[in-house]
Amino acid sequence: MSPASFTRLALDEIAQVLDGMALPALLAASEAATLAGFGPLVTYSRKVFIPLTELCRDVCHYCTFAKTPKRVGRAYLALDQVLAIARAGEAAGCREALFTLGDKPELRFAEAGAELADMGHATTLEYLREAAALVLAETGLLPHLNPGLMDDADYAALRPVSPSMGLMLETTASRLSDKGGPHHGSPDKLPSARIAAIAAAGRARVPFTTGLLIGIGETRRERVEALLAIRDLHAEYGHIQEVIIQNFCPKPGTKMAGHPEVPLEEHLWTIAAARMILGSEMSIQAPPNLRPDELVALIRAGVNDWGGVSPVTPDHVNPEAPWPHLDALAETTARAGRIMRERSAIGPAYAQEPETWLDPALRTAVRRMVDGRGLPVVDGWHPGTDTAVPEFEPHPGGAVSQDIAAILAEVDRGACLSERQIVRLFEADGADAAAVMLQADRLRQQVKGDEVTYVINRNINYTNICLYKCGFCAFSKGGTRDLRGPAYNLDLAEVARRAAEAWSRGATEVCLQGGIHPHYDGNTYLSVLAAVKAAAPDIHIHAFSPLEISHGAQTLGLSLREYLLQLQAAGLSTLPGTAAEILDDEVRDIICADKVNTAEWLDVMRTAHGIGLRSTATIMFGHVDGYRHWARHLIRIRDLQAETGGFTEFVPLPFVHMEAPIWRKGLARSGPSHREAILMHSIARLVFHGLIDNIQASWVKLGADGAAQALRAGVNDLGGVLMDESITRAAGGQNGQCFDVAMMETVASAAQRTARQRTTLYGVIEQYENA
């Protein structure tokens, strides 16, 4: 039995099937579905709890949060109190500010209306907007709002200050609002009103949290009915980011103080029912403080999220139940064979689609916070910075997920991995990520041994003036005006001088690339080759991106083959695999719409390989792309290599964001996370096994310590010393312009390996001069 089996059944049929399944079988099916949707990850949000007001017009018979004016003093927290709580949370590493408050207290209490009027507001929701805007402006926290029933206009007003909101459906049993029921006297708890409010959130495109409160007198059938209502709302609007299955806990001093707690078995049954009805992709949450001794059982039942857990503030709704310590919660999660990872207030899937789900005012903050999974980057490391790399443990404890193990077995059998399999490898974390890296390192040792190779080369970027408007590029200038440094265009004599100087300093290669200058044509690149060959006849010329090749051919009216043959005859030895960025036009249309497209890039390389010119291949990742785009890129490189055999190496280039125009405009992420950056090298080793033997780490992007880590995860090459690296430096890179031989040897030694100089084509150089 799988979740798909339930999509064709009606309410009574579902209730009958679920009731008829033995609990162990139901739990096993639910856990399998959970693992299929989320792998071993269990998420949580590090939050502060801001009880903006504890007044409420409802009188739920189980609630201790709602109070009367006599018991609270002020009706509302003052703004300075709100900000103090938020700043305490920010200092403790929180990312979410959870605003919880009673529903429209001004409609019941004159004191609330008067206090709102004194603050210049007519309603609680108006004041909530001001408070949330203040937290958003003054801290790094994202507000999540739970203000009760709202309509379309309310959501429209609050959406610019909150990336997500919530309202517990609780139940669809309207009889619980009758006299004697727990919701009697609470107009906002009528199921029809709550369903209407959740639908309004869907129309407003608000990522939304809802759920059930179980054990308040409802039947199993009524729980199923409520879950189907949530399923139908999500099917229509797609906005339900998580569903909470919260167990009722009786509280002293309430009318339901003597009501029995919901048994654990009923809680587990309902979690599993939610998973089977809502599917493997729906996030299912249970509050960890309400079942602190049964957390492993909750995970086994289908939970993949712990919700918000605060290191600063209590659970004001359940003050008798303290939050678990985060380290203890992580340890318990690990005992269940899972990995606990932090999320933000907005669910990961929704954070990956900010254009759809977020107000423009919030998109930049969310983009800059998250990785390719939509989870926050919490270690503070970004490519190109001199920030210390996170601790790297290649062999952590924990079991490897069955699907990851199966994919790695496929690699051992020499299978070509599918897009979905490659995406799953990029999702790997914890023990799974370690297994991927270890397999890649074993293949590296098998294919390339323990030598770490490098080339002594010099970068010559002859112009930074460029006709193209690539959003990620901080190097190019649109004209001769100053913009993050002056525009320049080296003359041929200077290019020749730098090439000759490189040769005299021990370089065996010059790497020549530049912007597409408005005055450049195909003859320009031929002239550059002639100047370099005259100045340093024996140096290897590694030059011209596919964009430059395409531009040169078009300006001379030649085919790619005709022009490449001319370049080859003039001294071109190999091509750099730059301008690839992401070989998927869905991404290229955003970051480099006027550049060569995917097919054109591949065609240049296919043609070059066809006349005997070999090239590198690259990927520039971690901006607006996703794991599916990375997988497609690797597959396209793999397929071309199987056809031509012309790629010498694969070079991952993590996006350096600091000065990139697309990032400064708030339209891109802040580069890949450390996990993603290292995994890219490992997965490339697995995907290209038997086709591309050399996987290179960019010390410019990763830094020395990051490069040493990559050497333990499938990398065998450190690229070139570069001498005059300028492209990453223009983007804000802080890892220097040159990485000399001694530094190459130090990095190799840090990975317990030895360094060896190579030629561009990976030939052996027995003797060399130290640059």
Side-chain angles (χ1 to χ4, degrees):
M1 183 70 70
S2 69
S5 307
F6 288 82
T7 59
R8 300 181 296 274
L9 302 180
L11 167 60
D12 288 330
E13 293 174 304
I14 293 174
Q16 185 177 3
V17 169
L18 291 172
D19 262 337
M21 292 182 72
L23 185 59
L26 176 60
L27 298 182
S30 178
E31 183 176 23
T34 305
L35 289 170
F38 295 91
L41 290 191
V42 176
T43 49
Y44 78 100
S45 177
R46 198 178 182 103
K47 72 174 183 184
V48 287
F49 203 130
I50 302 177
L52 190 65
T53 179
E54 293 176 284
L55 302 183
C56 183
R57 74 164 175 168
D58 297 315
V59 289
C60 300
H61 297 180
Y62 47 75
C63 181
T64 58
F65 175 77
K67 299 176 177 62
T68 61
K70 290 181 180 179
R71 294 179 58 198
V72 298
R74 281 185 59 94
Y76 297 87
L77 291 180
L79 290 177
D80 60 345
Q81 292 175 297
V82 169
L83 195 54
I85 295 170
R87 283 178 171 156
E90 184 179 37
C94 296
R95 300 175 192 278
E96 174 185 346
L98 171 63
F99 282 85
T100 294
L101 53 152
D103 206 316
K104 301 180 180 64
E106 67 274 21
L107 299 182
R108 179 182 176 194
F109 300 111
E111 294 92 335
E115 198 167 306
L116 286 170
D118 288 344
M119 295 186 293
H121 295 290
T123 67
T124 297
L125 293 181
E126 281 186 15
Y127 183 51
L128 173 62
R129 190 186 194 285
E130 182 182 13
L134 179 68
V135 168
L136 191 63
E138 297 293 329
T139 73
L141 306 186
L142 296 177
H144 175 87
L145 309 182
N146 289 339
L149 294 187
M150 293 192 290
D151 59 22
D152 295 74
D154 297 326
Y155 287 117
L158 292 171
R159 193 171 184 261
V161 298
S162 178
S164 60
M165 303 181 210
L167 176 73
M168 291 287 282
L169 174 57
E170 296 197 11
T171 183
T172 50
S174 57
R175 64 182 181 82
L176 298 182
S177 294
D178 295 342
K179 188 172 182 179
H183 291 153
H184 180 63
S186 301
D188 301 301
K189 292 301 178 78
L190 289 171
S192 59
R194 295 179 92 74
I195 289 172
I198 297 170
R203 291 191 294 274
R205 310 297 279 170
V206 173
F208 208 72
T209 298
T210 189
L212 276 58
L213 178 61
I214 65 170
I216 58 173
E218 80 292 344
T219 65
R220 279 187 171 185
R221 184 185 184 280
E222 287 167 337
R223 289 181 214 156
V224 171
E225 182 182 52
L227 290 169
L228 288 175
I230 293 171
R231 186 185 72 179
D232 292 346
L233 286 162
H234 185 62
E236 183 169 2
Y237 302 109
H239 67 308
I240 305 298
Q241 65 173 5
E242 60 197 344
V243 173
I244 305 169
I245 307 299
Q246 182 170 332
N247 52 306
F248 163 76
C249 297
K251 296 176 173 59
T254 67
K255 291 184 178 181
M256 295 182 68
H259 193 80
E261 290 190 39
V262 61
L264 174 63
E265 291 73 16
E266 281 299 302
H267 197 183
L268 300 180
W269 183 91
T270 310
I271 290 168
R275 173 62 64 206
M276 303 307 284
I277 291 170
L278 298 173
S280 60
E281 302 298 322
M282 178 60 71
S283 186
I284 305 293
Q285 177 192 131
N289 58 323
L290 301 186
R291 291 270 189 202
D293 299 324
E294 308 293 348
L295 300 182
V296 171
L298 297 180
I299 288 174
R300 297 274 181 256
V303 162
N304 67 281
D305 186 81
W306 293 131
V309 179
S310 180
V312 177
T313 52
D315 181 349
H316 289 275
V317 174
N318 299 285
E320 76 285 357
W323 299 115
H325 192 282
L326 287 172
D327 289 342
L329 187 59
E331 290 171 7
T332 302
T333 304
R335 285 203 302 274
R338 308 297 174 85
I339 311 159
M340 194 170 85
R341 288 292 182 261
E342 186 176 348
R343 63 166 171 82
S344 67
I346 180 173
Y350 298 86
Q352 293 178 65
E353 298 185 36
E355 295 292 335
T356 299
W357 292 106
L358 291 173
D359 186 87
L362 297 169
R363 292 171 189 167
T364 294
V366 171
R367 283 193 187 101
R368 290 179 174 179
M369 177 186 291
V370 301
D371 64 10
R373 299 176 292 185
L375 295 178
V377 177
V378 299
D379 55 37
W381 181 86
H382 296 288
T385 67
D386 57 4
T387 304
V389 296
E391 290 295 322
F392 177 70
E393 175 52 63
H395 310 295
V400 177
S401 299
Q402 290 182 0
D403 58 343
I404 293 291
I407 295 170
L408 297 181
E410 289 277 301
V411 174
D412 279 339
R413 288 193 290 271
C416 285
L417 299 183
S418 68
E419 178 181 325
R420 177 58 208 149
Q421 287 174 314
I422 296 170
V423 168
R424 180 66 187 95
L425 292 178
F426 280 118
E427 293 169 349
D429 204 335
D432 287 346
V436 172
M437 295 173 192
L438 185 62
Q439 176 102 332
D441 203 44
R442 280 198 294 260
L443 291 180
R444 181 272 311 160
Q445 205 282 330
Q446 174 186 322
V447 172
K448 299 299 296 185
D450 288 330
E451 285 187 329
V452 176
T453 51
Y454 64 90
V455 64
I456 298 180
N457 65 351
R458 183 173 198 169
N459 266 21
I460 303 176
N461 303 119
Y462 30 77
T463 185
N464 63 354
I465 299 171
C466 188
L467 293 169
Y468 290 81
K469 306 294 183 184
C470 300
F472 56 84
C473 185
F475 172 74
S476 70
K477 309 294 181 285
T480 57
R481 67 188 185 281
D482 285 358
L483 180 63
R484 298 183 305 275
Y488 70 85
N489 184 31
L490 301 182
D491 59 29
L492 292 176
E494 178 59 18
V495 172
R497 186 195 69 77
R498 294 188 186 190
E501 183 181 63
W503 178 257
S504 71
R505 292 173 61 187
T508 61
E509 171 197 304
V510 286
C511 180
L512 302 164
Q513 295 181 92
I516 305 299
H517 193 288
H519 297 155
Y520 281 16
D521 62 13
N523 289 318
T524 306
Y525 304 116
L526 292 166
S527 299
V528 168
L529 292 172
V532 171
K533 291 302 286 184
D538 295 324
I539 205 161
H540 181 108
I541 302 178
H542 182 65
F544 312 138
S545 72
L547 177 61
E548 292 173 289
I549 299 294
S550 177
H551 176 75
Q554 289 173 5
T555 56
L556 297 183
L558 299 174
S559 69
L560 287 174
R561 178 180 173 81
E562 290 169 333
Y563 186 56
L564 282 163
L565 285 168
Q566 288 189 15
L567 294 172
Q568 188 179 40
L572 178 63
S573 305
T574 53
L575 277 68
T578 50
E581 325 315 352
I582 296 292
L583 293 175
D584 191 285
D585 289 340
E586 184 179 350
V587 174
R588 300 181 80 82
D589 287 346
I590 298 171
I591 65 172
C592 54
D594 56 350
K595 206 169 190 174
V596 289
N597 62 28
T598 297
E600 290 166 342
W601 189 95
L602 292 169
D603 194 33
V604 171
M605 289 307 193
R606 180 181 290 107
T607 306
H609 296 171
I611 66 167
L613 284 171
R614 303 194 70 188
S615 72
T616 63
T618 66
I619 182 171
M620 194 277 294
F621 63 105
H623 33 81
V624 304
D625 44 357
Y627 295 169
R628 68 186 185 279
H629 304 116
W630 302 357
R632 293 169 190 167
H633 183 106
L634 296 182
I635 288 169
R636 285 166 178 146
I637 294 293
R638 180 186 70 192
D639 290 350
L640 184 56
Q641 181 72 347
E643 176 187 338
T644 69
F647 291 120
T648 56
E649 70 228 59
F650 182 73
V651 190
L653 301 172
F655 173 57
V656 175
H657 71 277
M658 291 79 79
E659 294 295 332
I662 196 170
W663 184 85
R664 294 177 70 85
K665 293 175 182 176
L667 301 177
R669 302 197 305 277
S670 300
S673 68
H674 176 259
R675 181 192 65 87
E676 292 170 330
I678 299 298
L679 268 180
M680 177 62 78
H681 298 78
S682 300
I683 294 169
R685 172 66 68 187
L686 303 183
V687 172
F688 298 140
H689 182 55
L691 291 170
I692 301 176
D693 288 343
N694 300 298
I695 306 298
Q696 183 184 120
S698 170
W699 57 263
V700 179
K701 316 289 187 182
L702 298 178
D705 291 340
Q709 290 178 347
L711 288 175
R712 302 201 299 275
V715 164
N716 68 288
D717 188 78
L718 291 175
V721 302
L722 297 183
M723 295 188 190
D724 293 306
E725 196 290 318
S726 57
I727 294 175
T728 300
R729 184 164 51 95
Q734 300 164 358
N735 290 316
Q737 291 181 265
C738 183
F739 208 73
D740 64 22
V741 170
M743 296 170 75
M744 294 285 185
E745 291 172 344
T746 297
V747 170
S749 178
Q752 290 80 52
R753 309 251 286 281
T754 56
R756 175 181 65 78
Q757 186 186 353
R758 63 167 171 86
T759 67
T760 304
L761 293 173
Y762 287 82
V764 175
I765 295 179
E766 298 295 346
Q767 302 291 329
Y768 61 89
E769 293 184 10
N770 216 334

